[in-house]
Structure formats: C-alpha cells, structure tokens
Amino acid sequence: MRHNISETKAVIEDRRTIRPENFSSRKVHKEIVMELLDSARWAPTHRYTQPWEFTIFMGESLKELSKFQSSLYRGSTSKDDFKLEKFEKLVNRPLSSSVVIGIGMKRDESEKNPEEEEIASVSIAVQNMMLVATAHGIGSYWNTGGVTYQPETKTFMGLEEGDKFLGFLYLGYPEGEWPRKTRRKPLEYFTNWKQP
C-alpha cells in the first residue's frame, strides 16, 4: 500500500463545512495557505488545462472584499428585496475569516474541453484545499451565494468573458470543538452495480 488508507479516509470523513460566524480569532499563516494552494494544483485536469484561478484575501484586503460585496449587494438590490441580514453577512463574513480565497475558472482559449469538465477540475482543486485545511484543523466554507454570480464580481476578481467565478472559500480555525460527523446515505442508496 502506498499510503495509510485509514488516515486518508479519516481526513475525508472529518471535513466539515464551518461558517465564518464560527471561526475564532486565531490566524491562518501564509505558509499554510501556500500549502493549500499547492495541493489544489494536483487536481485532475483534462489535457492539463489547469483551469483554476485563485484570488487570496488576507489581512487588510479582507476589508476590501467586505466593502465590495456589501456595496454591490446594496447597489444591485431593490428596496423591497434588500435584506439587512444578508447585507450584514456580506460585511462580516470576510472580516470573521482569516483567509478568503476567490475561486475562478479560467477558460482555456482553445475550448477543447467542455466547460463542465473545467468546472469539475476546479471543484476538485477546492476539495483538495479543504482536505488539507481539515488536516491542519482549519475550518472551511465554500459559499456560492451573495454576489458570486454577478458580472461585477467576475471583473473584481480579474476574470474575463469566457471565465467563471465559482464562489468564495472562507478559512479559519473553528471556535470550540470540531463539529461531529453528519449522517450520510448508505451506499445502496446511490450505487447501481451492473453484474456480468
């Protein structure tokens, strides 16, 4: 066996979605962020297009992200649809996080790969980061709500017309205990074995 299977499975099963509201003030060091980003680049990628593009917010730039998100929401939402709770989340989530990583998919100019394959590669890259974060005891939350799919966000992230912005990965050490395991469906609910 090349690697310890039980340890590998333990990290996979231990990964949890932990929202920024549940992060402590303990900071994630840049070296660990670099390790997470390095793990992302080992995701499977058809024709080696490596379509991921990450924008990292740490320190003072978290305030910039907070202001951008909340201002965009306020400016693009009608008075009737505006929700103070949502606005406050957009203000506070970056400020409650140690690191926020903007997740982009850079479209290969040749467009030889279907867009779905490129999005899948980026998603696997994000999962790699989340697993390494878990191994470090760092909570992660991949959010696709708020202003994720607005064209201004794509521009803010430096992405171009054919590219996609796929959300924000919030990172921080959890306050208190690591969340317990959640229930998952047994294998027979989602597997179909074809017998010869």
Side-chain angles (χ1 to χ4, degrees), residues 20-54:
E21 293 83 0
N22 298 312
F23 290 162
S24 71
S25 59
R26 182 179 171 194
K27 297 298 178 198
V28 177
H29 293 290
K30 185 177 179 180
E31 294 75 21
I32 293 177
V33 177
M34 295 292 290
E35 189 179 336
L36 268 58
L37 294 165
D38 187 60
S39 71
R41 70 191 184 103
W42 293 101
T45 168
H46 191 49
R47 294 192 175 96
Y48 299 102
T49 56
Q50 301 177 60
W52 37 82
E53 176 90 0
F54 300 116

Side-chain angles (χ1 to χ4, degrees), residues 14-19 21-24 26 134 136-140 172-182:
D14 204 31
R15 187 212 53 78
R16 293 287 172 281
T17 293
I18 302 174
R19 288 177 169 74
E21 293 83 0
N22 298 312
F23 290 162
S24 71
R26 182 179 171 194
T134 299
H136 279 284
I138 296 166
S140 60
Y173 288 97
E175 188 79 72
E177 296 295 314
W178 193 262
R180 62 183 175 76
K181 279 187 180 180
T182 53

Side-chain angles (χ1 to χ4, degrees), residues 122-139:
V122 175
S123 299
I124 298 167
V126 173
Q127 173 76 343
N128 283 0
M129 288 194 286
M130 294 171 88
L131 292 175
V132 173
T134 299
H136 279 284
I138 296 166

Side-chain angles (χ1 to χ4, degrees), residues 88-149:
E88 288 176 346
K89 276 185 182 176
L90 292 169
V91 170
N92 294 323
R93 279 187 166 166
L95 303 178
S96 300
S97 303
S98 187
V99 181
V100 180
I101 300 176
I103 304 161
M105 185 275 286
K106 292 288 285 180
R107 193 72 168 111
D108 178 48
E109 286 182 18
S110 70
E111 296 190 1
K112 286 182 180 176
N113 293 341
E115 184 178 79
E116 294 83 359
E117 289 185 16
E118 300 293 73
I119 291 170
S121 284
V122 175
S123 299
I124 298 167
V126 173
Q127 173 76 343
N128 283 0
M129 288 194 286
M130 294 171 88
L131 292 175
V132 173
T134 299
H136 279 284
I138 296 166
S140 60
Y141 175 57
W142 184 356
N143 183 28
T144 56
V147 299
T148 295
Y149 301 119

